[in-house]
Amino acid sequence: MRKGDTWIQSTLAATCAALLVAACGGGGDDSAATGTLRTAMTDAPSCGYDNVFVTVDRIRVNNSATVSPDSGGWSELVLDQPRQIDLLDLQNGVIEELGELTLPVGRIQQVRFVLVDNATANPADIDFDPDADPTRAPNHVVFSAGGFEDLKTPSGQQSGVKINVGIDVAEGQVADLLIDFDACKSVVEAGSSGNYLLKPVLTAIPRLSSGVRGSVADALVPEGISISLQQDGEVVRATAPIESTDLAENGNFILAQVEPGTYDLVFTAPGFITKVVTDVVVPEGQLVNLDFDTTTPGDQNEIVLLPATLEGDAVGTVTNTDDVKPATFVEITQTLTEGATVLITSAQLSFETFDSGGVMTGVGDTAGYSFTLPVDAPEVAPYTATGVFNFSADTGVEGEYTAMAISEPVDLTPVVQMAAANFNPNFAGTGNQVITNDFDFSSSPAP
């Protein structure tokens, strides 16, 4: 795999040596006509990591949305060797091609993405990432602050992480399955235990040529800045800027694979004031360049974030007394005066418990969360394709946030609870002001 390329091409040939294909059924078309499914991965940005290594074993597909992983009708793309991939290489338009699979004509409705298990994997079988330490576990993180930690896999993931899709495989045609692996939400710290879990958050996204490109100030690149295109507080695509010794590349970003539409472009970083460009229009097939004047050296719309002058802590717990816990997230959003709601930060929670040796001992009923947020008013500017963005402080929402706890049972509608997290902009006490909100999903649908 070539490091640093804008596009990574490492397609596996769809031969019998590369693939193990099971009989395809589960509601599929009985016709002998076939098409091709092309599979690949990309990534949203991570939070506080230099590397997030995951090791892919296989991808399973089925024409039924409800069939169990142990039932028949599955087709499998099995890699020649389990392949270790650094998710942080898959940003700014980079795609890792995984392979192609010949399937009967029909509609794929379920995908299961299978990673190797650290406890059972044989290192001799793995195609390690060239930047990884092969003596470490196949799935592990390297922290930006130094050090590393193995990623433990909760029970129940051995059959693969489920993704509901609707992909039509037509005769003689190539259909695309592009999997967005959100490293930030997938790596979960288990409370104060010092253990880290791998709970993959995966989305099937379209393969498109439209998107947005631009740049942030060089000084922001090492500050953990996140750049996202959003609609109504939902992140559609996210990335982090390129970090490079080449100053012409350093700070550049590309938000790729974006469907045509109107978006809010959101810039956040720990310790900095949020910036939002509203109503960014992405036409079909076009990569929108925020530098409208390409003849002038330098980016006319290079984004600079100002340090926050006051911060507050949004903290609390989420309780669920069910024996089996669904995926649970906490999100912090902010609604601007002009009406747009933007996501500021989020995290997946862990209910798992561990002993002093790092061995998982069970599942508790309560998980905690904590976010440090800028109390300063966000800076907002309307998008224009012909001029420099004119940012101004949105003082009407200074320090005002909403905390949302989200419980996501598999194949059921997510359950959402919300509470205000409003900080006093004139707070003059010692340390950060703290807003506490606790949530309880004990009566919500079980997973």
Side-chain angles (χ1 to χ4, degrees):
M1 185 169 64
R2 304 194 304 274
K3 296 283 185 177
D5 289 351
T6 302
W7 299 96
I8 295 179
Q9 298 294 337
S10 54
T11 305
L12 300 178
T15 64
C16 292
L19 306 178
L20 171 63
V21 182
C24 190
D29 194 319
D30 292 333
S31 168
T34 63
T36 300
L37 180 68
R38 178 173 58 176
T39 64
M41 284 174 57
T42 189
D43 177 40
S46 72
C47 306
Y49 310 115
D50 277 352
N51 309 93
V52 178
F53 293 109
V54 300
T55 303
V56 182
D57 180 63
R58 68 190 64 201
I59 296 172
R60 310 180 72 205
V61 300
N62 202 294
N63 295 85
S64 170
T66 58
V67 67
S68 72
D70 298 326
S71 299
W74 289 93
S75 297
E76 292 189 337
L77 168 62
V78 181
L79 278 64
D80 275 331
Q81 291 178 273
R83 189 191 309 172
Q84 188 183 58
I85 299 168
D86 183 0
L87 294 179
L88 300 199
D89 285 335
L90 308 185
Q91 300 184 96
N92 292 292
V94 175
I95 290 176
E96 175 81 3
E97 303 286 355
L98 296 176
E100 297 181 353
L101 179 60
T102 300
L103 296 170
V105 168
R107 186 173 181 83
I108 299 170
Q109 298 193 76
Q110 183 182 165
V111 173
R112 287 192 175 265
F113 191 82
V114 184
L115 301 174
V116 303
D117 188 292
N118 285 348
T120 59
N122 182 354
D125 294 336
I126 294 174
D127 178 14
F128 284 96
D129 184 283
D131 288 343
D133 180 352
T135 65
R136 299 296 309 169
N139 306 307
H140 71 276
V141 296
V142 179
F143 300 104
S144 298
F148 46 78
E149 195 69 42
D150 294 348
L151 291 172
K152 296 177 170 59
T153 305
S155 61
Q157 289 188 9
Q158 286 74 20
S159 60
V161 180
K162 183 179 180 180
I163 313 171
N164 289 323
V165 298
I167 301 174
D168 291 316
V169 178
E171 182 177 357
Q173 302 297 311
V174 176
D176 279 306
L177 171 63
L178 180 57
I179 299 171
D180 187 1
F181 197 130
D182 192 327
C184 184
K185 289 185 177 180
S186 299
V187 177
V188 184
E189 186 175 4
S192 58
S193 69
N195 294 283
Y196 286 77
L197 301 172
L198 180 59
K199 295 185 172 184
V201 177
L202 309 176
T203 308
I205 64 175
R207 197 162 182 158
L208 302 166
S209 58
S210 46
V212 174
R213 70 186 306 160
S215 68
V216 301
D218 290 341
L220 289 173
V221 173
E223 298 293 343
I225 185 170
S226 175
I227 307 153
S228 61
L229 281 175
Q230 303 185 18
Q231 289 180 323
D232 299 322
E234 295 286 340
V235 173
V236 177
R237 294 289 175 273
T239 193
I242 295 170
E243 187 169 3
S244 174
T245 55
D246 182 353
L247 294 183
E249 290 292 325
N250 193 59
N252 291 348
F253 66 85
I254 299 175
L255 291 155
Q257 319 298 333
V258 178
E259 294 196 61
T262 302
Y263 301 88
D264 297 312
L265 181 60
V266 182
F267 300 84
T268 61
F272 289 84
I273 299 171
T274 300
K275 251 181 181 171
V276 182
V277 181
T278 60
D279 299 325
V280 178
V281 178
V282 179
E284 184 174 1
Q286 182 175 335
L287 192 61
V288 176
N289 192 348
L290 298 186
D291 180 7
F292 62 93
D293 180 8
T294 56
T295 63
T296 303
D299 191 333
Q300 304 304 301
N301 280 323
E302 182 178 77
I303 299 298
V304 178
L305 300 188
L306 299 177
T309 63
L310 185 65
E311 293 183 304
D313 295 331
V315 304
T317 61
V318 177
T319 299
N320 191 327
T321 57
D322 292 333
D323 291 336
V324 179
K325 307 296 192 287
T328 304
F329 303 85
V330 173
E331 297 183 348
I332 304 295
T333 64
Q334 189 166 40
T335 299
L336 308 178
T337 298
E338 55 88 38
T341 296
V342 296
L343 178 70
I344 304 301
T345 187
S346 66
Q348 185 176 183
L349 305 189
S350 167
F351 291 91
E352 286 77 8
T353 58
F354 297 84
D355 64 17
S356 59
V359 177
M360 195 180 305
T361 57
V363 179
D365 291 333
T366 301
Y369 70 89
S370 178
F371 301 101
T372 298
L373 305 168
V375 178
D376 303 82
E379 296 189 315
V380 181
Y383 174 72
T384 171
T386 58
V388 175
F389 303 148
N390 295 312
F391 287 98
S392 61
D394 190 350
T395 56
V397 300
E398 188 174 13
E400 295 185 359
Y401 296 95
T402 298
M404 293 196 306
I406 306 168
S407 177
E408 297 188 352
V410 176
D411 292 334
L412 295 175
T413 302
V415 181
V416 179
Q417 296 180 9
M418 297 186 294
N422 296 333
F423 298 93
N424 180 3
N426 299 313
F427 179 74
T430 303
N432 290 351
Q433 183 182 2
V434 178
I435 301 293
T436 301
N437 286 299
D438 297 325
F439 303 94
D440 193 334
F441 287 112
S442 297
S443 60
S444 300

